[in-house]
Every structure is written in C-alpha cells, then in structure tokens.
Amino acid sequence: MEEEYYKTKKSVEEYIRMAKDVNGKQLIGKLEQVLAPKSILLEIGSGPGTDWRILNRSYRVTGSDNSTEFLNHLRAENPNGTFLELDAITLQTNKKFDGLYSNKVLHHLNDHELAESIKRQYEVLNTNGIICHSFWKGEGSEIFKGLFVKYHTEKSLKEVFGQHFKILSIESYAEFEQGDSLLLLGIKK
C-alpha cells in the first residue's frame, strides 16, 4: 500500500487545509447508537485528527496513522492523546478494543489487503466489538494523487466483512453528492 501522498510534510499540510471543513460527525452519531460511551476505541487512520477529537468526547480513543507526518501533527495538536503508528492492514498492536472506526481509510486497500485487515480487526476486537467504517460508493478503482482508491458496493462490503462480522447496517449517504458514500456498521461474530 503506497501512500506517499500522506508521507511528506507538504502533502499533509495540503490535506489538512483541504479537509478542514470535513468531519465524520454524522457517522459518529451512528456509531454512538451501537457503541456505549466510554468504550475503548481505535480510530484507524486519524489523519488531521478532526474525527479523533469528536470521538474523544464519547470514547477512550486511541488514534492511529501510518504517516509519521500525520502522527507528528496529531501529537502536537493533542498532547494528551494516545496515538499509534499503525498500518491499516496489519494493525500491529497488542491492545484490544471495544470498537474500531475509520472514515474513508480502508478504501486505500486492494481486495487482498482489505481481507487481511478485516481478519486483523476481528483479532484486536473484544467480544461483541463494533466496527464503523466509511467508503466511497461505486465500482472499480483509480489512482488519486498517487493513492490507490477502491470503490465499494453494499454487496462487496457484505461479502468481505460478512465472513467475520454480523452486518448491522450498510447505508448510503452524501459526503459531497447524494449517495457517493457508504457507512458500514458491524459486530464481531
């Protein structure tokens, strides 16, 4: 998974400016309906930290990213926060969580990498652990700013996540235009 775009200080600063008005408050509201307050949560791919700050109001959140530049930013902006350098595929941590959250992160994984990530997510979750992930809706894939982006359908998400998780819901929502995104909520089988 080559994500050089997120690896340089310049590109991270550009992304933070570009995404300054975007947050997952709507998605987090859906998560809050199924994951109890004060639960231990891992955010996969915290990026600029916008969602991390919202999640931190309700949960005991560990943020993570695979970019040293994003981690430097997160730690500087949130000195009392807990952040791990984690790859979304391997999730190399000994910690266990009640929930996992990602907002448009796992779409950077190809089919094989996503399957590996889902297996690992299952392993790092406690019994009855909850997952909440968003994806771009559609079919196929593309390279955007040098990054791989895989589009998903309800059917493709059910197939890959359904092996390890009971799907609670998959719903379409608008990030930029009507129905361009999907939110998946699931519980560990």
Side-chain angles (χ1 to χ4, degrees):
M1 184 173 73
E2 287 298 314
E3 291 192 5
E4 296 307 314
Y5 178 74
Y6 297 126
K7 301 288 187 177
T8 68
K9 187 173 179 67
K10 182 180 178 189
S11 64
V12 164
E13 289 171 353
E14 176 188 67
Y15 183 84
I16 291 168
R17 280 191 307 277
M18 189 173 68
K20 69 178 173 35
D21 297 325
V22 178
N23 67 60
K25 188 174 185 174
Q26 167 189 351
L27 313 179
I28 294 165
K30 301 283 185 182
L31 174 63
E32 289 171 338
Q33 294 172 16
V34 294
L35 185 63
K38 306 290 181 216
S39 293
I40 300 166
L41 181 76
L42 172 66
E43 181 183 20
I44 301 170
S46 298
T50 309
D51 287 5
W52 181 89
R53 284 186 287 283
I54 298 168
L55 290 162
N56 201 40
R57 295 177 198 152
S58 301
Y59 301 110
R60 294 179 286 165
V61 184
T62 297
S64 73
D65 212 284
N66 195 26
S67 162
T68 304
E69 290 298 332
F70 267 133
L71 289 168
N72 291 342
H73 170 79
L74 289 163
R75 290 175 177 137
E77 293 287 315
N78 310 284
N80 296 323
T82 303
F83 300 98
L84 302 173
E85 185 169 351
L86 288 181
D87 179 274
I89 303 165
T90 59
L91 297 174
Q92 288 298 319
T93 180
N94 295 326
K95 295 182 179 194
K96 290 281 200 173
F97 303 93
D98 302 316
L100 301 174
Y101 171 89
S102 74
N103 186 355
K104 302 280 176 55
V105 172
L106 300 178
H107 65 249
H108 291 303
L109 307 181
N110 66 36
D111 291 341
H112 173 74
E113 291 167 335
L114 182 58
E116 289 300 308
S117 175
I118 292 166
K119 268 197 279 189
R120 189 65 186 126
Q121 289 176 45
Y122 182 88
E123 293 168 358
V124 302
L125 277 172
N126 291 320
T127 304
N128 296 320
I130 298 290
I131 55 170
C132 178
H133 301 303
S134 70
F135 299 88
W136 291 113
K137 184 178 180 180
E139 296 192 19
S141 63
E142 69 175 316
I143 303 298
F144 179 77
K145 287 193 179 269
L147 299 172
F148 176 81
V149 175
K150 167 83 176 179
Y151 294 91
H152 292 276
T153 63
E154 288 185 37
K155 183 178 184 247
S156 70
L157 291 176
K158 281 179 186 172
E159 285 174 4
V160 70
F161 279 94
Q163 297 173 40
H164 295 283
F165 294 93
K166 177 184 175 200
I167 306 299
L168 300 174
S169 66
I170 299 177
E171 59 185 76
S172 182
Y173 71 96
E175 174 116 358
F176 297 115
E177 51 190 65
Q178 191 59 40
D180 66 359
S181 301
L182 290 169
L183 177 67
L184 176 143
L185 287 165
I187 187 167
K188 184 176 178 174
K189 286 183 180 176

